[in-house]
Amino acid sequence: MFEDDIAALSTPPGEGGIGIIRLSGHEVIEKVGEIFVPVTGKALSQRHGYTLNLGWIIDQDGSKIDQVLLGIMKAPHSYTGEDVVEINCHGGSMPVRRCLQRCLEAGLRMAEPGEFTKRAFLNGRMELSQAEAVIDIIRAKTDRGLKLAMQQLEGNLGYIEAIEENLLQLNAMVEASLDFPEEVGELDYDEVQTILRQSIVALDQIVAAGVRNEIYRDGVKVVICGKPNVGKSSLLNALLKKEKAIVTDLPGTTRDVVEDYINVHDIPVKIMDTAGIRLTEDLVEKIGVEKSIKVIEQADMLVFMLDSGDGITQADLDIYKMIDRDKLIVFVNKEDLEIKRISTVELDSLFAGVKLIQGSAKNDLGLEELEMAMEEMVLSGTLPGDGLDIMINLRQKDALLRSREQVESALQSLRQVTADCLGVDIWGALETLGEVSGKTLKEEVINRIFHNFCIGK
Amino acid sequence: MVYEAGKYEVVVIGAGHAGCEAALASARMGCSTLLVTMSVEYIALMPCNPSIGGPAKAQLVREIDALGGEMGINIDKSSIQMRLINTGKGPAVQALRAQADKHEYGREMIKTILGQEKLQLLMAEVEKIESEDGEVKAIVTRTGARYECQTVVVTSGTYLKGRIIAGEVMYDGGPGNQFPAVKLSDNLQEMGIKLGRFKTGTPPRIDRKTVDFSKMVEHPGDSVPWRFSFISAPPTQAQLPCWLTHSTPETHRIVMDNIARAPLFTGVIKGKGPRYCPSFEDKVVRFAHKTSHQLFIEPEGRDTDEMYVQGLNTSLPEDVQIQVLHSIPGLEHVHMMRTGYAIEYDYVIPTQAQLTLESKVISGLFTAGQINGTSGYEEAAAQGLMAGINAALRVQHREPFILKRSEAFIGVMIDDLVTKEADEPYRLLTSRAEYRLLLRQDNADLRLTEKGKQLGLVDDYRWKLFQTKLKLLEEATQALKTTTFTPADTEVEKFLIGKASALLRDRISLWEMLRRPELTIQDFVEQGWLKTSGHEILEQLEIQAKYEGYINKQKEQVQRFERMENKRIPADIDYHGVYSLSNEALQKLKEIRPQSIGHASRISGVTPADINILLIFLEKRRN
């Protein structure tokens, strides 16, 4: 636990220009080398300390996530005294989060609060007085964090306990057949398979519930888009119920991306208005348009607006082409106008299968319907958590996923490897799960053996 | 009247399995050693199940052997049957098990002891261990003999204030109707050593001539000539079978009808018994839904008619035991030669010992075996070996010898003993080892022979055999790794088709091919691709190749483990000066005095937060 490679976000989360992820540990350079592709030159492991290296953080399938600058500081000449890597991402919470996720996938774990500083002190890079301050922080965070964790766990514990129980029984079964073969007999592989499968279902459920609740904790990004003057800023303001964006009648007024959070049925939704996209010579407007396009690409959900009075124009179709149809709501605005130029037939043919709302931003029409549609769409991508009211943090999620991996590994190799190898994964799954609740479970397995099985000569 | 009887560097009290190993090790390392026993006739006695080995225990025996201890060699000389347990469950849990000729085992051990240079056997009861300024000085026997010594290894087994209980009958006694050791127990307490009380039990013994074997299932030994020791010659005598029978509902009824007379339930027995060795009455009560429990009838030797009823460990009254026996198929007319009984005994709470098995209370005093609250002959022997080694090292002013959890089952056991609180006798299980895949019975010699050599316990014969084996292994490994085939090899193609194995797509080495579950190294030998070099070598290579993935996984885990084990905690640390340790951690750390951060983290009650604080404190100290 104390010898792990750790990672953490070093800059405040949000929409800053640069996001820095800091890594520290014995094997960080090697591990980052697996997820980083340099633009030119030698592999990461051959670079010198105190260098900045340009390259790409890549996904599991090799696709590029973000272009980054990688700072390498070799032990002992670094903040913590261990090898340190600082990944300078492009900012915006999306790429930074993805990069951090990749680091975890490469085998690092999230750092505890103050852990970098603690290591700096342990490795003699920092003074005593600074470290004493750290101890206070750790302790305070622990007491409070403990209370918070306990509060969370009050809710969580039941669900983790059920899986723990299953895996305990499984471990007892396997170990009993290995240590007391004559009394207990052969392992029932069918039963083992059943329990493993049940565990995966249960683990997936918890993670799904957690992910779903992450949405309640982290929020979603909804982007309003459409051609200039279709009423995007009006819609944003209507949803915000206050003036935020600048609304004029001239097309191209909103130069920039305006954003704010609203509470949509307990989901924090970040609604972003965009400059009306059109071909323009105006440089400032052009920059605004480019930014908007980027924002659309990164949205969790899109609200595509049409002007009822204008009908469906080529400009609308051009924009629609750019949109990912998956998470899309079409809002036909200005239904308050006398003359409507969009027919139901047109709508049906163009937007078959897409959620359609007709309303008027100016007159507060269709807004409630829009909010409900947003909620439904945001949550629809997630598995139902069966009403599990769980909040899991990244560290817990990490442990749950690792445990699941080990259960999966056991399942895959079930009838192909010998029982002792199987035991490695089966015990591993339980031990990792124990990290979530903070228990050491080895003695408990031994207790179960004697409780469940009649052993003894 | 106390008189000066002599001077020895090491005195071993008790010649059971632990004592014999301790005494032999100490003498072989060059220390003058006195082995004191209350009964010369019962040296290396097996008061309970006359068998050696089984899961986890076989690993211990192999490790003892690799280090130059005696148990493996001794059981090879005196076994009546050998079987390999857990075949097909993987090499990490495969375990050899031998039924012993009980008397032969003892006789062979006595021969070895009597023939050992620097080792002197004495029949006496030790009543007192003298110490001065917290250090051992001498021992004094009941008949007044005082022997000056530098170290004492107490391996008194279950004799300390032993009390026999069979039904309503109770009397002070050691196992096998010997005298108990009473004064020594008091002496230890006077020295400040805390004692606890455990109980264990043994089943009745029956007369072979009165057993009806036709009603039972025969269990012969394996036809493969297994050996425990890495240097033993193959066996010469034929094996004897064991017999399987079972209890019946009638048996259970008899037990339940008399349960009021069972000491376990009348509260007469105060000591805690082991869960993995429950008495028969305990089994009947706890697993009431089971209509029968299996029982093995085991011969106790080639030249005795006594047979051991395994699974019928009991302290029921004698008359009930006879009824119980007669209700078992095959035992309807059996004559009971010895009564089963429970024995209660004092033991030394092992958290008072260091990892070297030297006491933290009295320096120069070592405890090993059942006196430390363990059960099992193998557990005892392993501790005895380690205690004897460390006693000798102490005399010779050399560094102590400690095995890590990642190096041997012996290491797992001793680390558990001195770290954990036990409320029952400790028995080794393979599941207690985190790195079970690395600590196999087949590679004990590869792990430990060299260490045994450095200690001076590995003789030239063993060392030469070992060097030869290493060379053969190296050659064969190279052969496997450098012999390659391509998809163009038609001979290989034919072979693979014959084995329903996938055809080659690239160049592949024999080593990589061996990973396939459907291929064996024997196949390669038969094909002429690999020179045969003995079963042991072939087996070792096959295991290393087939389990490479999992083995490497465990090796990585070991690396992380060892980094924590190498963070030493100074011996003179004052835990009261460690700011903001939790109370429980403070207590436990003071009591157990772990040598490393890794060790500290295994103590129950010491949380990760406490470890953090300890780390910071140590850094402070370093500056």
Side-chain angles (χ1 to χ4, degrees), chain A residues 75-287:
Chain A
H77 306 293
S78 68
Y79 180 73
T80 57
E82 302 168 329
D83 282 353
V84 169
V85 170
E86 285 184 3
I87 308 177
N88 294 263
C89 305
H90 266 67
S93 60
M94 247 321 232
V96 174
R97 267 178 77 138
R98 261 318 271 148
C99 288
L100 187 54
Q101 188 67 33
R102 286 299 288 138
C103 291
L104 296 183
E105 285 163 11
L108 287 92
R109 90 168 146 79
M110 286 296 286
E112 314 260 334
E115 197 168 1
F116 288 99
T117 311
K118 186 182 82 180
R119 289 190 180 194
F121 171 65
L122 289 178
N123 291 321
R125 302 289 290 167
M126 210 201 281
E127 272 192 333
L128 183 58
S129 49
Q130 291 169 290
E132 302 243 23
V134 165
I135 296 176
D136 287 338
I137 290 172
I138 291 175
R139 295 288 294 178
K141 281 244 163 77
T142 307
D143 284 337
R144 184 159 52 102
L146 199 65
K147 211 194 272 182
L148 282 176
M150 283 309 290
Q151 276 170 0
Q152 273 186 334
L153 283 178
E154 292 304 345
N156 279 352
L157 215 50
Y159 307 103
I160 307 274
E161 266 176 8
I163 305 179
E164 246 174 33
E165 183 54 40
N166 249 5
L167 289 177
L168 270 171
Q169 292 293 83
L170 182 58
N171 270 278
M173 250 173 75
V174 173
E175 296 301 330
S177 83
L178 294 177
D179 274 308
F180 301 101
E182 285 169 348
E183 294 98 316
V184 172
E186 293 301 307
L187 196 54
D188 183 347
Y189 276 83
D190 288 330
E191 203 181 330
V192 172
Q193 188 173 45
T194 307
I195 298 180
L196 288 172
R197 287 198 176 134
Q198 279 173 352
S199 303
I200 288 191
V201 168
L203 282 166
D204 282 342
Q205 237 179 15
I206 294 195
V207 171
V211 163
R212 197 184 177 108
N213 287 325
E214 260 172 30
I215 289 171
Y216 285 97
R217 188 186 61 203
D218 298 341
V220 283
K221 247 192 289 222
V222 176
V223 172
I224 308 177
C225 55
K227 67 178 190 243
N229 225 27
V230 73
K232 299 187 294 301
S233 302
S234 307
L235 184 58
L236 177 63
N237 288 339
L239 289 169
L240 289 176
K241 296 182 180 64
K242 63 181 184 240
E243 300 283 295
K244 178 74 179 225
I246 314 147
V247 188
T248 66
D249 288 318
L250 297 171
T253 322
T254 313
R255 288 290 157 90
D256 227 327
V257 181
V258 176
E259 55 196 49
D260 210 327
Y261 277 101
I262 60 168
N263 180 331
V264 174
H265 302 186
D266 284 331
I267 304 171
V269 175
K270 194 181 223 174
I271 305 236
M272 294 155 80
D273 184 8
T274 54
I277 296 169
R278 66 170 184 180
L279 292 171
T280 174
E281 290 308 313
D282 184 305
L283 204 60
V284 178
E285 207 188 326
K286 211 175 188 165
I287 294 173

Side-chain angles (χ1 to χ4, degrees), chain B residues 338-447:
Chain B
R338 288 189 210 231
T339 315
Y341 59 83
I343 176 171
E344 265 196 342
Y345 55 96
D346 282 349
Y347 72 98
V348 169
I349 295 175
T351 48
Q352 298 171 98
Q354 302 173 51
L355 285 165
T356 53
L357 294 178
E358 185 176 1
S359 167
K360 291 175 193 158
V361 181
I362 304 282
S363 68
L365 180 68
F366 292 77
T367 49
Q370 278 189 277
I371 189 182
N372 274 339
T374 58
S375 84
Y377 315 134
E378 305 87 345
E379 285 90 334
Q383 287 173 64
L385 179 64
M386 296 301 281
I389 289 173
N390 279 310
L393 290 172
R394 185 177 187 276
V395 165
Q396 296 166 350
H397 303 292
R398 287 161 69 187
E399 281 300 299
F401 181 57
I402 296 174
L403 287 168
K404 294 192 273 213
R405 296 188 79 94
S406 50
E407 292 177 311
F409 265 97
I410 297 178
V412 173
M413 175 178 66
I414 295 181
D415 190 86
D416 277 347
L417 277 179
V418 310
T419 315
K420 293 196 208 290
E421 269 158 14
D423 54 357
E424 64 172 355
Y426 179 91
R427 182 209 197 261
L428 195 54
L429 303 167
T430 60
S431 52
R432 291 196 194 271
E434 295 80 0
Y435 313 110
R436 183 165 62 184
L437 279 186
L438 304 177
L439 308 181
R440 311 186 303 272
Q441 69 166 13
D442 60 80
N443 68 2
D445 58 342
L446 300 176
R447 288 181 278 125

Side-chain angles (χ1 to χ4, degrees), chain A residues 2-3 118 122 136 175 177-179 181-182 418-421 425 442-443 447 450 453-457, chain B residues 83 85-86 89-92 97 275-278 283 294 430-431 436 547 553 563 567 579 612 619:
Chain A
F2 313 102
E3 291 304 308
K118 186 182 82 180
L122 289 178
D136 287 338
E175 296 301 330
S177 83
L178 294 177
D179 274 308
E182 285 169 348
T418 47
D420 55 356
C421 289
D425 285 326
K442 174 155 283 238
E443 278 306 312
N447 288 342
F450 297 121
F453 298 96
C454 185
I455 281 156
K457 308 189 171 187
Chain B
R83 283 176 55 226
I85 314 277
N86 273 341
K89 295 204 186 142
R97 193 153 98 224
R275 286 174 298 181
Y276 42 83
C277 206
K283 282 195 253 190
Q294 79 180 6
T430 60
S431 52
R436 183 165 62 184
Y547 294 86
K553 229 196 242 189
R563 279 205 281 262
K567 292 209 153 85
Y579 147 64
N612 272 342
E619 187 56 34

